[in-house]
Protein backbone atom coordinates (compact mmCIF):
# COMPACT_ATOMS: atom_id res chain seq x y z
CA UNK A 1 0.00 0.00 0.00
CA UNK A 2 1.13 3.53 -0.73
CA UNK A 3 1.10 6.30 1.85
CA UNK A 4 -1.94 7.88 0.12
CA UNK A 5 -3.84 4.59 0.15
CA UNK A 6 -3.06 4.21 3.86
CA UNK A 7 -4.37 7.76 4.50
CA UNK A 8 -7.66 6.84 2.83
CA UNK A 9 -7.94 3.52 4.67
CA UNK A 10 -7.22 5.29 7.97
CA UNK A 11 -10.49 7.20 7.53
CA UNK A 12 -12.36 3.89 7.20
CA UNK A 13 -10.64 2.71 10.38
CA UNK A 14 -11.83 5.87 12.17
CA UNK A 15 -15.37 5.23 10.92
CA UNK A 16 -15.24 1.72 12.37
CA UNK A 17 -13.84 3.01 15.67
CA UNK A 18 -16.63 5.61 15.96
CA UNK A 19 -19.27 2.97 15.15
CA UNK A 20 -17.78 0.55 17.67
CA UNK A 21 -17.84 3.30 20.30
CA UNK A 22 -21.48 4.10 19.44
CA UNK A 23 -20.47 7.72 18.74
CA UNK A 24 -22.75 9.13 16.04
CA UNK A 25 -21.12 12.58 16.01
CA UNK A 26 -17.63 11.12 15.51
CA UNK A 27 -18.97 8.73 12.86
CA UNK A 28 -20.66 11.52 10.88
CA UNK A 29 -17.61 13.82 11.19
CA UNK A 30 -15.82 11.69 8.59
CA UNK A 31 -18.40 12.55 5.91
CA UNK A 32 -18.63 15.70 3.81
CA UNK A 33 -21.44 18.12 4.68
CA UNK A 34 -23.34 17.06 1.55
CA UNK A 35 -22.47 13.34 1.58
CA UNK A 36 -24.82 10.67 0.26
CA UNK A 37 -25.18 7.59 2.47
CA UNK A 38 -27.05 4.73 0.78
CA UNK A 39 -28.13 1.98 3.16
CA UNK A 40 -28.45 -1.71 2.31
CA UNK A 41 -32.20 -1.06 2.17
CA UNK A 42 -31.56 1.35 -0.72
CA UNK A 43 -32.46 4.47 1.26
CA UNK A 44 -30.35 7.58 0.70
CA UNK A 45 -29.57 9.66 3.76
CA UNK A 46 -28.19 12.91 2.31
CA UNK A 47 -26.01 15.17 4.40
CA UNK A 48 -23.84 14.86 7.48
CA UNK A 49 -26.62 16.01 9.85
CA UNK A 50 -28.97 13.23 8.75
CA UNK A 51 -26.15 10.67 8.82
CA UNK A 52 -25.45 11.67 12.42
CA UNK A 53 -29.06 11.66 13.61
CA UNK A 54 -29.91 8.36 11.94
CA UNK A 55 -26.83 6.70 13.38
CA UNK A 56 -27.58 8.09 16.82
CA UNK A 57 -30.95 6.32 16.59
CA UNK A 58 -29.23 3.11 15.46
CA UNK A 59 -26.59 3.25 18.19
CA UNK A 60 -29.21 3.86 20.87
CA UNK A 61 -31.59 1.27 19.41
CA UNK A 62 -31.26 -1.82 17.23
CA UNK A 63 -27.49 -1.57 16.66
CA UNK A 64 -26.57 -0.74 20.26
CA UNK A 65 -23.33 -2.52 21.11
CA UNK A 66 -22.80 -3.75 17.55
CA UNK A 67 -19.35 -3.82 16.00
CA UNK A 68 -18.21 -3.10 12.46
CA UNK A 69 -15.88 -5.85 11.36
CA UNK A 70 -13.90 -6.49 8.18
CA UNK A 71 -15.16 -8.92 5.59
CA UNK A 72 -13.12 -11.22 3.44
CA UNK A 73 -10.47 -9.87 1.08
CA UNK A 74 -8.39 -6.73 1.05
CA UNK A 75 -9.97 -3.35 0.30
CA UNK A 76 -9.38 -2.05 -3.22
CA UNK A 77 -8.31 1.61 -3.28
CA UNK A 78 -8.29 3.44 -6.61
CA UNK A 79 -7.55 7.09 -7.20
CA UNK A 80 -9.60 8.56 -10.05
CA UNK A 81 -7.90 11.91 -9.40
CA UNK A 82 -5.22 12.78 -6.85
CA UNK A 83 -7.94 14.16 -4.53
CA UNK A 84 -10.66 11.55 -5.19
CA UNK A 85 -10.44 7.90 -4.12
CA UNK A 86 -12.84 5.02 -4.57
CA UNK A 87 -12.68 2.16 -2.10
CA UNK A 88 -14.48 -1.15 -2.51
CA UNK A 89 -14.30 -3.31 0.57
CA UNK A 90 -15.99 -6.17 2.33
CA UNK A 91 -17.34 -5.73 5.81
CA UNK A 92 -20.33 -6.03 8.02
CA UNK A 93 -21.60 -5.94 11.52
CA UNK A 94 -21.60 -8.23 14.48
CA UNK A 95 -24.31 -7.86 17.07
CA UNK A 96 -22.52 -10.26 19.42
CA UNK A 97 -19.10 -8.59 19.20
CA UNK A 98 -17.55 -11.32 17.02
CA UNK A 99 -14.59 -10.74 14.71
CA UNK A 100 -16.48 -11.62 11.50
CA UNK A 101 -19.81 -10.41 10.12
CA UNK A 102 -22.65 -12.58 11.32
CA UNK A 103 -24.63 -14.57 8.73
CA UNK A 104 -26.71 -12.22 6.60
CA UNK A 105 -24.79 -9.16 7.81
CA UNK A 106 -21.87 -9.13 5.33
CA UNK A 107 -21.81 -6.38 2.74
CA UNK A 108 -19.81 -5.01 -0.13
CA UNK A 109 -19.11 -1.39 0.73
CA UNK A 110 -18.30 1.34 -1.76
CA UNK A 111 -16.85 4.65 -0.63
CA UNK A 112 -15.97 7.77 -2.59
CA UNK A 113 -13.56 9.90 -0.59
CA UNK A 114 -12.41 13.43 -1.38
CA UNK A 115 -9.43 15.25 0.01
CA UNK A 116 -10.40 18.51 1.66
CA UNK A 117 -8.32 21.01 3.61
CA UNK A 118 -8.97 19.01 6.79
CA UNK A 119 -8.03 15.67 5.24
CA UNK A 120 -9.97 12.87 3.55
CA UNK A 121 -13.75 12.67 3.95
CA UNK A 122 -16.41 10.34 2.59
CA UNK A 123 -18.53 12.07 -0.07
CA UNK A 124 -20.58 9.00 -0.96
CA UNK A 125 -21.15 5.59 0.61
CA UNK A 126 -23.14 2.56 -0.55
CA UNK A 127 -23.79 -0.57 1.51
CA UNK A 128 -24.89 -3.61 -0.52
CA UNK A 129 -25.69 -6.84 1.32
CA UNK A 130 -23.92 -9.92 -0.02
CA UNK A 131 -26.47 -12.48 -1.15
CA UNK A 132 -26.71 -15.48 -3.43
CA UNK A 133 -29.29 -14.76 -6.16
CA UNK A 134 -29.52 -18.50 -6.90
CA UNK A 135 -30.59 -19.20 -3.32
CA UNK A 136 -33.92 -17.50 -4.01
CA UNK A 137 -34.62 -19.56 -7.15
CA UNK A 138 -37.43 -22.10 -7.12
CA UNK A 139 -36.28 -25.77 -7.25
CA UNK A 140 -37.06 -26.33 -10.95
CA UNK A 141 -36.06 -22.85 -12.05
CA UNK A 142 -32.91 -22.47 -14.15
CA UNK A 143 -30.11 -20.87 -12.14
CA UNK A 144 -27.72 -18.46 -13.81
CA UNK A 145 -24.56 -17.03 -12.47
CA UNK A 146 -23.50 -13.44 -12.97
CA UNK A 147 -20.15 -13.15 -14.67
Amino acid sequence: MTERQNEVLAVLGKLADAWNDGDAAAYASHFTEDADYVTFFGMNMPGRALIESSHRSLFEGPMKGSKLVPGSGEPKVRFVRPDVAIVVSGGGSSLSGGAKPEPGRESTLTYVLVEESGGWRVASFQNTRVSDPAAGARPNEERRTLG
Side-chain angles (χ1 to χ4, degrees):
M1 287 272 167
T2 68
E3 182 178 335
R4 302 274 293 160
Q5 289 170 317
N6 284 329
E7 289 173 5
V8 167
L9 292 177
V11 174
L12 305 188
K14 291 174 186 176
L15 281 171
D17 290 345
W19 181 291
N20 295 345
D21 290 341
D23 188 338
Y27 185 80
S29 75
H30 299 291
F31 290 85
T32 61
E33 283 291 333
D34 62 348
D36 283 293
Y37 190 106
V38 180
T39 71
F40 65 89
F41 293 119
M43 292 175 39
N44 183 23
M45 294 185 294
R48 185 185 297 159
L50 185 54
I51 293 167
E52 180 178 344
S53 66
S54 64
H55 281 82
R56 180 169 291 109
S57 295
L58 285 174
F59 298 156
E60 293 173 356
M63 299 303 287
K64 185 173 186 169
S66 67
K67 301 297 178 199
L68 282 188
V69 292
S72 57
E74 292 294 316
K76 176 185 174 188
V77 180
R78 179 170 56 101
F79 292 91
V80 293
R81 290 190 341 210
D83 61 340
V84 178
I86 298 173
V87 180
V88 177
S89 176
S93 60
S94 171
L95 300 176
S96 64
K100 297 271 184 195
E102 292 170 357
R105 302 197 72 80
E106 182 152 4
S107 294
T108 298
L109 309 168
T110 305
Y111 302 85
V112 177
L113 291 95
V114 294
E115 189 173 32
E116 298 183 332
S117 60
W120 289 95
R121 285 203 180 358
V122 179
S124 184
F125 169 80
Q126 168 114 21
N127 178 349
T128 305
R129 282 285 195 242
V130 174
S131 64
D132 178 3
R138 289 181 228 121
N140 294 327
E141 193 174 313
E142 179 182 339
R143 294 184 181 180
R144 297 183 180 153
T145 58
L146 301 175

